[in-house]
Amino acid sequence: MSTPEATGSPIHVESADHLDELLADHDIVLVDYHAEWCGPCKMLEPTVKEIAEETDAVVAKVDIDELQALARDKQIRSVPTLQFYHDGEQVKQVIGVQSKEDLVEIIEQLA
């Protein structure tokens, strides 16, 4: 399942409804909760971009300062937090900088 929005690059989430649409429209979604001021988030950014380009997962990026209510609803306590969704259901969450191999392995398990 794919929409024109799935471009092979991370998608900037603009609202809670936008995130819900992405989760409904795609089989596997990796949601990256981040902040501009977050050093580890900046370290993880190239990895997340590569995952968007190289895997079938849709990568959604949520700026926790821009979408504070969404981050609060999803119980995001620290950044970076990565949530993995399969068929609209959250199946895994990891916090902090992760290796590309570990993240790709999670996505492959969901495929």
Side-chain angles (χ1 to χ4, degrees), residues 1-8 11 18-30 56-60 85-89:
M1 221 190 289
S2 186
T3 64
E5 197 166 33
T7 59
I11 298 168
H18 186 210
L19 179 60
D20 289 343
E21 284 175 32
L22 291 171
L23 296 177
D25 290 347
H26 302 281
D27 295 339
I28 301 171
V29 181
L30 166 57
D56 290 335
V58 169
V59 176
Y85 289 82
H86 185 258
D87 293 333
E89 297 292 320

Side-chain angles (χ1 to χ4, degrees), residues 6-61:
T7 59
S9 59
I11 298 168
H12 176 77
V13 175
E14 297 173 8
S15 67
D17 288 341
H18 186 210
L19 179 60
D20 289 343
E21 284 175 32
L22 291 171
L23 296 177
D25 290 347
H26 302 281
D27 295 339
I28 301 171
V29 181
L30 166 57
V31 183
D32 174 15
Y33 293 90
H34 67 97
E36 287 300 317
W37 47 262
C38 168
C41 298
K42 291 186 189 321
M43 289 171 45
L44 189 60
E45 194 164 342
T47 301
V48 170
K49 190 171 191 284
E50 288 175 17
I51 288 171
E53 293 169 354
E54 298 170 12
T55 71
D56 290 335
V58 169
V59 176
K61 294 188 62 75

